[in-house]
Amino acid sequence: MTATPAPAAGTDRPLLAVEEVWKRYGDHHVLRGVSLDVAPGEVLCLLGPSGSGKSTLLRCVNRLERIQRGSIRVDGELVGYREQDGRLVERDEADIARHRALTGMVFQHFNLFPHMTVLENLTEAPRRVAGMPAAEAAALAGELLGRVGLADRAHAYPRQLSGGQQQRVAIARALAMRPRLMLFDEPTSALDPELVGDVLRVMRDLAAEGMTMLVVTHEMSFARDVADRLVFMDGGRVLEAGPPARMMADPEHPRTREFLARFR
Amino acid sequence: MAPHTRSGPAAAELPAATGAGGGRELPAEPPRWHAILAVRPSGLPLTVVVLVLAAMGAHLLVTAPSIQWHVVAHYFTSSEVLDGLVRTIELTVLAMAIGVGLGAVLAVMRMARNPVLSGSAGLYIWFFRGAPLLVQILFWFNLASFIPRLSLGVPFGPSFTSWDTNHLVTPFVAAVLGLGLNEAAYMSEIVRAGILSVDAGQGEAAAALGMKRGHVMRRIVLPQAMRVIVPPTGNQMIGMLKSSSLVSVTSMPELLYSVQLVYSRTFQTIPLLVVATLWYLLMTTVLSWGQYYVERHFGRGSARELPPTPLRRTLDRIGAALARLERATARAGLDKHTGEAA
């Protein structure tokens, strides 16, 4: 698949390495020393009650938020800083933009550009950020729209689409930059129940193709069937991580047990 | 079970609204309702008063000897008046260009995190919005008394070249500066409101795709902000057209001063003021009409379907009226027919 680079074979290095990350807004600590790894090609689902810091962690990976302590590396490169003579120097805007371009992000409220057609939403960044020729960008967009089942809506405006269709366009828009890592921030939480299935199907396909994915979700069936590993967060900490079957059947931490019991 | 369900019978009386048959097919055309609107008699006296006043006004306009419509017609397209009109348009366009361009820069500066940038933008807005426009125009007109020579060089250092202020800042330049710099203060607040109206998620989504701040502002935020920026800007443009007449105090022959020059010679004051008024009204009409299309352009994507243009709407209305007439005549024929049968 063109938009999915093959996972780097023969390396054990995680694609995403989060180490002891602390983040606070004023006096409120949102992340208190979070560490987790995502291997190339792995699908990791972040579970936890609202306010547990899942979304904030995701936004830190893309440097939509700054962190106060710890480090985040994507493919070995520090997010937001570079190491120089043993010190950390904040990266400039161009560097951060380049990093973000390689990390796709899908938002809860889609955030499609309402003044552009679906096609323009998909071609804007490839053309004007990656410098792809217009014809090539349009061809890529057409192919991606086909994959998310919306080939016939290329010239519609976002507001003419249902929520589920908008979210699938948003996924295609992120894939158009050929990211190494995809971040999903509660991608189905704003959708009507009958529209959730289409979006999850696209995400399943993506996982099956080997895309590395970090997913914040409340869709337990998706987490169970698609994720390679679940991570349970509460109060800004990772309380428990493990394979879905084990964690769903026999959670170790009492908070995990309490949380999962609500989805039974 | 919801305890407060709506009572059934009222809903059931609506024809075809609640499909009792479940999967019943919808009728091809909804039933036509013939509504007879209630007449409120309390509004009648006021309606009569308004109509009488309007008739009196129209009568005065047509018959008042002071207007002298033939004089109005004569000067409406005289070269002096047309020259003034062109100058008014030039002033408006140039001053608005300064206002919009500088206003956008000031708006971005005002929102910057850098306190020097946001502070100086705030100071600019405070000054140029606070001092009366007429005072500002007079100030620029008399700039030479304040700074006799303008020079280009190193700040606080040697100057490479210099000009006589009156040579550089002609009365026309002074008028454009006075109007434009004042306008920028107002426009910056309008642009800022537009930028603030765009959802923060738009900027985040754009940043997540690797766009830099300038790109995000130019391609994502500003086009969406335009929907909020255009209507008040149309207001400002119309206001500018009219406040450009203030520069007549500096003997700048724009539209108002041009007609003043004529009537000071011919003493036909009222007809010439009517000429100026008609031209101002004509220009504001053209501007409002243009604004409609600009709004339509930036409104794309905001509604599921673009509203029809006024021309389209008028044609549709005429079409509907014709259809109604046709139906009415057909029905009349039918009634007559059945009447005869009975």
Side-chain angles (χ1 to χ4, degrees):
Chain A
M1 215 60 264
T2 48
T4 317
T11 54
D12 327 330
R13 191 173 72 185
L15 184 66
L16 170 66
V18 176
E19 249 177 276
E20 273 298 305
V21 164
W22 289 73
K23 161 84 191 165
R24 61 177 162 77
Y25 297 113
D27 291 337
H28 176 58
H29 286 267
V30 192
L31 299 175
R32 303 157 175 266
V34 172
S35 299
L36 58 85
D37 286 350
V38 185
E42 190 179 25
V43 176
L44 193 145
C45 279
L46 281 175
L47 307 179
S50 59
S52 59
K54 312 172 303 260
S55 291
T56 305
L57 179 63
L58 220 59
R59 293 164 60 83
C60 290
V61 171
N62 222 351
R63 201 154 173 85
L64 290 176
E65 309 279 352
R66 279 193 168 89
I67 58 176
Q68 269 86 37
R69 264 163 67 186
S71 73
I72 301 175
R73 284 168 198 272
V74 175
D75 210 4
E77 262 189 89
L78 272 179
V79 172
Y81 298 93
R82 60 200 158 75
E83 286 158 305
Q84 197 176 329
D85 309 329
R87 281 187 304 178
L88 291 184
V89 181
E90 187 161 21
R91 287 178 188 271
D92 60 17
E93 198 198 354
D95 250 11
I96 290 172
R98 199 172 42 79
H99 165 81
R100 282 175 176 154
L102 295 172
T103 312
M105 184 150 183
V106 175
F107 298 84
Q108 182 177 355
H109 295 288
F110 334 134
N111 296 356
L112 291 179
F113 307 133
H115 59 301
M116 296 181 174
T117 63
V118 166
L119 187 69
E120 288 164 346
N121 264 277
L122 263 67
T123 55
E124 176 70 16
R127 285 186 58 191
R128 289 169 208 274
V129 175
M132 194 183 280
E136 196 185 326
L140 173 64
E143 183 211 318
L144 288 169
L145 283 177
R147 276 171 68 184
V148 300
L150 291 170
D152 55 333
R153 302 315 305 272
H155 299 288
Y157 281 98
R159 221 154 290 188
Q160 295 164 329
L161 304 179
S162 73
Q165 291 174 329
Q166 288 190 49
Q167 193 59 298
R168 283 184 279 153
V169 171
I171 294 173
R173 179 177 70 175
L175 290 176
M177 288 302 281
R178 307 182 196 275
R180 297 167 296 189
L181 169 69
M182 282 286 284
L183 309 171
F184 291 87
D185 188 5
E186 303 202 23
T188 58
S189 297
L191 298 178
D192 286 345
E194 72 261 33
L195 302 177
V196 168
D198 290 334
V199 172
L200 291 182
R201 202 167 306 124
V202 168
M203 290 170 63
R204 273 170 212 262
D205 291 348
L206 204 56
E209 285 159 18
M211 175 60 81
T212 312
M213 293 161 64
L214 182 57
V215 185
V216 173
T217 187
H218 293 296
E219 292 293 329
M220 287 304 150
S221 62
F222 178 83
R224 187 181 53 230
D225 301 344
V226 182
D228 297 306
R229 216 148 40 96
L230 303 184
V231 168
F232 179 76
M233 284 180 71
D234 192 19
R237 287 198 177 85
V238 171
L239 293 188
E240 192 174 351
R246 202 274 299 152
M247 247 177 83
M248 295 257 186
D250 181 25
E252 281 166 6
H253 200 282
R255 280 293 291 131
T256 320
R257 207 171 305 146
E258 197 184 318
F259 178 78
L260 290 174
R262 268 184 275 150
F263 292 94
R264 296 254 161 77
Chain B
M1 272 284 117
H4 302 292
T5 45
R6 235 156 44 100
S7 56
E13 276 167 27
L14 287 172
T18 50
R24 202 176 55 177
E25 266 183 54
L26 286 170
E29 211 181 333
R32 224 186 303 282
W33 295 94
H34 290 284
I36 296 160
L37 300 178
V39 180
R40 292 201 189 95
S42 58
L44 201 60
L46 187 61
T47 312
V48 170
V49 168
V50 169
L51 284 177
V52 168
L53 283 177
M56 285 167 70
H59 181 253
L60 181 72
L61 275 181
V62 175
T63 60
S66 59
I67 293 187
Q68 297 176 284
W69 284 102
H70 63 280
V71 178
V72 172
H74 176 256
Y75 282 107
F76 194 68
T77 51
S78 72
S79 63
E80 294 154 283
V81 170
L82 288 185
D83 285 350
L85 177 71
V86 168
R87 196 152 296 114
T88 287
I89 293 172
E90 283 170 358
L91 276 174
T92 305
V93 169
L94 289 174
M96 267 324 270
I98 291 178
V100 171
L102 185 59
V105 172
L106 284 167
V108 174
M109 279 171 69
R110 188 100 182 86
M111 290 193 291
R113 263 182 306 222
N114 181 333
V116 174
L117 293 183
S118 66
S120 53
L123 198 68
Y124 181 99
I125 294 164
W126 170 77
F127 180 81
F128 283 92
R129 205 167 54 169
L133 178 55
L134 188 53
V135 174
Q136 292 183 41
I137 289 169
L138 289 171
F139 176 83
W140 287 106
F141 184 66
N142 293 296
L143 187 66
S145 329
F146 178 42
I147 311 167
R149 288 192 78 75
L150 295 173
S151 63
L152 189 71
V154 182
F156 304 109
S159 68
F160 305 134
T161 174
S162 73
W163 300 272
D164 178 17
T165 298
N166 269 341
H167 185 68
L168 211 62
V169 184
T170 61
F172 184 78
V173 172
V176 168
L177 282 177
L179 293 169
L181 297 184
N182 176 262
E183 187 59 32
Y186 287 95
M187 279 308 302
S188 77
E189 289 293 276
I190 291 173
V191 172
R192 195 167 67 92
I195 291 172
L196 289 177
S197 76
V198 178
D199 178 36
Q202 290 290 311
E204 287 183 355
L209 286 165
M211 298 181 201
K212 291 183 215 156
R213 270 189 305 237
H215 184 179
V216 175
M217 184 55 75
R218 216 174 50 250
R219 297 276 308 170
I220 307 299
V221 174
L222 275 182
Q224 294 184 57
M226 286 307 275
R227 281 189 56 222
V228 174
I229 293 173
V230 169
T233 304
N235 254 351
Q236 293 296 111
M237 184 104 180
I238 286 170
M240 173 65 78
L241 192 66
K242 295 179 297 174
S243 41
S244 70
S245 64
L246 284 178
V247 308
S248 61
V249 299
T250 66
S251 307
M252 155 79 63
E254 42 67 67
L255 183 54
L256 178 61
Y257 194 64
S258 302
V259 303
Q260 284 178 327
L261 282 178
V262 175
Y263 72 62
S264 63
R265 204 172 58 224
T266 66
F267 302 106
Q268 291 161 322
T269 312
I270 295 296
L272 278 144
L273 286 178
V274 170
V275 166
T277 307
L278 287 178
W279 272 119
Y280 281 118
L281 286 174
L282 200 67
M283 285 190 288
T284 51
T285 307
V286 170
L287 283 180
S288 335
W289 177 77
Q291 181 188 340
Y292 176 86
Y293 284 93
V294 175
E295 271 179 40
R296 216 175 118 83
H297 172 77
F298 286 108
R300 67 195 193 283
S302 68
R304 291 186 178 213
E305 213 175 319
L306 277 180
T309 61
L311 182 65
R312 182 76 257 159
R313 212 157 39 207
T314 312
L315 290 179
D316 285 351
R317 254 184 221 151
I318 293 171
L322 285 178
R324 220 165 26 238
L325 192 68
E326 210 169 294
R327 272 199 308 276
T329 45
R331 204 164 38 239
L334 202 70
D335 285 350
K336 204 172 148 205
H337 181 73
T338 47
E340 278 167 4

